[in-house]
Amino acid sequence: MSTPKKYDVYLMPGLAASPLIFERIALPSDRYNVHLLEWQIPLEAESLTAYAERLSKKVTGKHIILIGVSFGGILVQEMKSFVKPEKVIIISSVKSNLEFPRRFKIAKTTKAYKLLPIKLLLNVEQLAKFSFGDTINKRLKLYEKFLSVRDEKYLQWSIEQVILWNRIEVDSEVIHLHGDADEVFPPKYIKNAIWIKDGTHIMILNKYKWLNENLPKIIERNENELENTGS
């Protein structure tokens, strides 16, 4: 009798976020080895591709699954060619720059992202608004816990890499989970996603029950069995 396949699942958090955002994600330990990836400080003039290659060296295993949230979703797509995973799953993210909202495109055209007050973003309230949207006042303590990367060089680099991401062709193998109430990457710009009802940009925190129930089905190719609600 053959030994059941066991997956090595690597989780990449969003911009400036700590791996603690995954603390409620619980996959069955008999089938999944879960590994938490962390943001590294970028090297001088390091491209997103070079950064992805460098981080890929931390990924080992036979049956690899990459899961990334928001900017982490962009990064794991760039890591794909270096890691050769069995699946790439992105959450609250985009598959190409064609799915960016207008404000991102305007920021690129005008180079307004260069004018962002990075020192102000080091303040957790401003950083939370930038990373997770505007509805954060009641949850500030929560974000203080999850937004742990406040290095000025990292923030400047990250913002620039997101705005200037040059992917225009969607990788059809990438599986996209998206909330129908995402305020950072609005649903009207997103195509071919698995939609999570009432999911916002921070659904990794508050839709964990849906994710815990359905991620194994997605990983093991049983998408037809997905629950149709994110409650």
Side-chain angles (χ1 to χ4, degrees):
M1 188 172 178
S2 61
T3 305
K5 182 188 288 189
K6 192 163 188 177
Y7 296 91
D8 282 292
V9 179
Y10 286 83
L11 305 177
M12 188 73 216
L15 192 150
S18 157
L20 284 173
I21 67 168
F22 300 113
E23 66 180 4
R24 291 180 175 177
I25 299 300
L27 302 179
S29 60
D30 61 328
R31 304 203 315 273
Y32 306 99
N33 294 317
V34 176
H35 311 270
L36 302 178
L37 294 171
E38 296 188 61
W39 290 105
Q40 308 292 311
I41 303 304
L43 304 177
E44 192 67 34
E46 189 170 25
S47 68
L48 184 61
T49 301
Y51 187 94
E53 183 177 15
R54 181 158 64 96
L55 199 62
S56 293
K57 293 174 182 176
K58 297 182 178 295
V59 176
T60 59
K62 189 174 181 181
H63 304 293
I64 294 169
I65 307 294
L66 295 179
I67 300 178
V69 174
S70 193
F71 181 35
I74 290 175
L75 181 62
V76 295
Q77 290 176 79
E78 295 297 315
M79 292 171 65
K80 183 172 183 277
S81 61
F82 302 109
V83 174
K84 309 298 184 189
E86 292 198 8
K87 281 193 176 180
V88 173
I89 300 168
I90 65 172
I91 300 172
S92 307
S93 189
V94 290
K95 298 181 292 298
S96 80
N97 62 23
L98 300 179
E99 294 185 322
F100 281 163
R102 283 190 62 201
R103 64 181 180 274
F104 280 48
K105 296 172 183 177
I106 292 170
K108 178 179 180 179
T109 302
T110 63
K111 294 184 168 42
Y113 64 91
K114 291 181 177 290
L115 304 176
L116 281 170
I118 299 300
K119 289 187 185 300
L120 263 183
L121 282 179
L122 294 174
N123 173 285
V124 69
E125 183 175 1
Q126 296 300 321
L127 184 55
K129 287 180 180 178
F130 185 84
S131 298
F132 289 148
D134 293 328
T135 57
I136 58 99
N137 289 337
K138 293 180 181 178
R139 303 175 183 172
L140 201 51
K141 291 290 184 185
L142 194 65
Y143 295 135
E144 196 162 24
K145 173 182 177 181
F146 292 123
L147 290 170
S148 63
V149 188
R150 300 177 200 170
D151 179 87
E152 187 173 344
K153 180 180 178 181
Y154 162 81
L155 288 172
Q156 182 70 65
W157 178 86
S158 296
I159 293 163
E160 185 167 302
Q161 298 311 311
V162 172
I163 297 298
L164 299 184
W165 194 40
N166 61 6
R167 179 169 299 207
I168 57 174
E169 292 188 10
V170 171
D171 183 339
S172 61
E173 294 180 345
V174 171
I175 298 168
H176 190 172
L177 309 183
H178 210 79
D180 63 8
D182 193 303
E183 67 280 13
V184 175
F185 297 122
K188 67 180 180 179
Y189 299 107
I190 305 296
K191 296 180 180 179
N192 300 320
I194 296 170
W195 294 100
I196 300 181
K197 188 172 188 266
D198 300 324
T200 65
H201 196 63
I202 59 165
M203 65 183 185
I204 193 67
L205 300 179
N206 53 28
K207 294 293 182 181
Y208 64 92
K209 291 181 181 178
W210 189 96
L211 292 166
N212 287 340
E213 174 70 22
N214 290 286
L215 277 174
K217 298 173 186 176
I218 293 168
I219 292 170
E220 297 178 37
R221 303 180 186 277
N222 295 316
E223 285 96 332
N224 58 321
E225 298 177 9
L226 297 183
E227 296 294 329
N228 61 8
T229 176
S231 61

